[in-house]
Amino acid sequence: MKKRIGILTSGGDCPGLNATIRGVAKAAYGLMDCTLIGIENGYKGLIEGTYRELKPKDFSGLLTLGGTFLGTARTPFKKMRVIEEDGVDKVKAMVENYKKMKLDCLVTLGGKGTHKNANLLSEEGLNVIGLPKTIDNDIYGTDVTFGFQSAVDIATEVIDRIHTTADSHDRVMIIEIMGNKVGWLTLHAGMAGGADVILLPEIPYSIESVISAIEKRCKEGKDFTIIAVAEGAKTLEEARMKKEDFENHRKTWGYPSVAYYLMDELNKKSRFETRACVPGHQQRGGSPSPYDRVLSTNIGAFAAKLIDQGIYGVTVSVRNNDYVATPLKDMAGKTKKVDPESTIVKNARLIGIKFGDEGVK
Ligand code: F6P
């Protein structure tokens, strides 16, 4: 019997979404008799019933295309069961539209929030498969997510380019890197770009320790310093605050983001001329890297195999260079963080990279 496969992309866009959709479609067409239904703008489209039947030709030209041709939106999990002003019961609407579209299954491409919603729909009895997308690489249960490596490449290029100005002007240059509340992107781009100081949410820092690192470099005759700071990095004092106190503190902080805070502190408390650079959404833009094209194609094709075998309620994970199905219920709601005691952090310390916690009690 012909299978009807719904597909949507949810949360922030990133390189590799289209390549993954293409992987699902091409493998599905090869494995079974099927129709793919593209749902627009993520769960929003599933709630509102905006979708279209896709044809094989719709999947051409997608491998290298950035963003998502289906559109995306953020639909927070915590609001899914809340009836808002429009009076719409979102969960009921999604289940009804799934049935209206006569879907056999739904493939949802997205990050942590998307997977929580996927798990919710799976608990509602729908056949769902999640696919792990995010530049943050924070999805639990998978070694890597598609979009991450492309973002590492972009952020690394930013650091590479900043090096020349830092060196020419003997400046401290701060590059703020995305990654939400985890430091994967900053750690990898920081190491790839040869950053001297890397500040991560998982390793709270002190300004004094950062200044000592810069001073030490100066004593060694290195008159510039590159600091890669994660957008979610916190000082020791901030890390000790209760969630609510931290949120209030940041509301009255007066800085657009952490790079500007750090720049201000260094300009006030040290003798070093400091500048901040925030590449922002560029890190999510453009064509996927070759690594991500291969990863996306594999993840998409693996998902098609699961659909063919009728295996649902799972996400496709990468573990030890292989592709496996992980139950949504085991990973939804969990975050994969950088372990401060991991080999990569220890190796970074071994080559002299500072994390802003040195000499801190
Ligand atoms: O999750 C991807 C991400 O780019 C994070 O790194 C960042 O914190 C967030 O999304 C930015 O979200 P928005 O695009 O909604 O501003």
Side-chain angles (χ1 to χ4, degrees):
M1 218 180 63
K2 199 166 192 166
K3 271 195 177 160
R4 288 177 64 83
I5 305 167
I7 192 155
L8 62 81
T9 55
S10 178
D13 74 330
C14 78
L17 281 164
N18 287 324
T20 308
I21 296 171
R22 170 184 175 272
V24 175
K26 287 201 169 223
Y29 287 137
L31 285 167
M32 67 198 102
D33 188 14
C34 63
T35 302
L36 275 101
I37 320 289
I39 297 156
E40 290 167 12
N41 302 319
Y43 293 107
K44 187 170 179 285
L46 187 57
I47 295 164
E48 293 170 358
T50 45
Y51 57 88
R52 61 186 191 273
E53 240 179 65
L54 300 166
K55 300 273 172 276
K57 72 168 175 46
D58 291 320
F59 301 99
S60 290
L62 291 184
L63 182 61
T64 58
L65 189 67
T68 160
F69 83 104
L70 292 176
T72 187
R74 292 199 185 277
T75 322
F77 171 75
K78 62 178 179 210
K79 293 225 172 125
M80 274 301 184
R81 292 204 185 271
V82 179
I83 312 280
E84 295 179 82
E85 276 169 15
D86 58 11
V88 176
D89 182 334
K90 296 187 259 304
V91 177
K92 190 163 165 251
M94 287 192 286
V95 173
E96 278 175 5
N97 280 324
Y98 178 97
K99 289 183 181 151
K100 200 168 132 199
M101 286 184 263
K102 297 190 174 39
L103 296 184
D104 292 289
C105 67
L106 174 68
V107 182
T108 64
L109 285 69
K112 281 192 313 168
T114 303
H115 279 81
K116 281 205 263 182
N117 288 332
N119 188 44
L120 180 156
L121 291 178
S122 177
E123 285 171 355
E124 289 291 318
L126 307 190
N127 295 330
V128 189
I129 296 180
L131 301 184
K133 162 244 65 162
T134 168
I135 65 163
D136 304 335
N137 195 31
D138 59 351
I139 298 185
Y140 184 85
T142 185
D143 295 342
V144 70
T145 55
F146 60 87
F148 173 64
Q149 200 57 52
S150 302
V152 170
D153 292 357
I154 298 163
T156 301
E157 193 185 335
V158 174
I159 300 175
D160 286 349
R161 285 179 184 276
I162 292 286
H163 251 100
T164 51
T165 302
D167 194 4
S168 307
H169 288 261
D170 291 344
R171 277 182 187 161
V172 173
M173 298 294 290
I174 302 165
I175 301 103
E176 180 179 301
I177 297 174
M178 275 188 167
N180 201 4
K181 292 180 179 152
V182 301
W184 293 106
L185 189 51
T186 308
L187 178 60
H188 282 245
M191 281 184 86
D196 309 298
V197 178
I198 297 180
L199 305 177
L200 308 177
E202 293 88 344
I203 306 177
Y205 68 93
S206 86
I207 289 289
E208 290 68 30
S209 180
V210 174
I211 294 173
S212 308
I214 305 168
E215 289 284 6
K216 183 171 176 289
R217 279 178 58 77
C218 277
K219 281 191 197 118
E220 291 164 356
K222 300 164 195 164
D223 294 327
F224 73 91
T225 295
I226 301 283
I227 303 178
V229 60
E231 62 176 350
K234 291 179 181 178
T235 63
L236 272 165
E237 295 74 35
E238 287 175 329
R240 286 189 195 117
M241 290 176 188
K242 288 197 188 106
K243 192 169 176 264
E244 201 188 326
D245 293 340
F246 173 71
E247 282 166 3
N248 287 333
H249 150 74
R250 281 291 175 96
K251 271 185 206 150
T252 54
W253 203 34
Y255 299 98
S257 68
V258 68
Y260 295 98
Y261 164 73
L262 207 51
M263 177 174 71
D264 195 33
E265 284 287 284
L266 292 179
N267 279 332
K268 279 193 303 217
K269 296 184 177 164
S270 80
R271 61 194 172 87
F272 305 106
E273 190 186 12
T274 306
R275 295 283 191 278
C277 165
V278 182
H281 288 81
Q282 287 182 72
Q283 293 161 96
R284 289 203 334 229
S287 185
S289 65
Y291 177 93
D292 268 333
R293 294 178 201 178
V294 175
L295 179 66
S296 294
T297 305
N298 272 293
I299 288 177
F302 192 85
K305 270 203 286 184
L306 294 177
I307 296 168
D308 191 41
Q309 292 161 11
I311 299 171
Y312 302 119
V314 294
T315 187
V316 176
S317 307
V318 182
R319 263 185 253 145
N320 303 321
N321 282 326
D322 202 4
Y323 297 86
V324 292
T326 303
L328 288 170
K329 64 177 170 43
D330 293 347
M331 50 73 68
K334 295 182 188 165
T335 304
K336 183 182 71 181
K337 295 183 182 176
V338 173
D339 176 1
E341 296 306 320
S342 58
T343 309
I344 181 171
V345 173
K346 284 184 180 159
N347 286 340
R349 289 193 197 273
L350 266 183
I351 64 152
I353 294 172
K354 304 295 181 201
F355 285 85
D357 64 340
E358 293 79 11
V360 167
K361 284 177 205 108

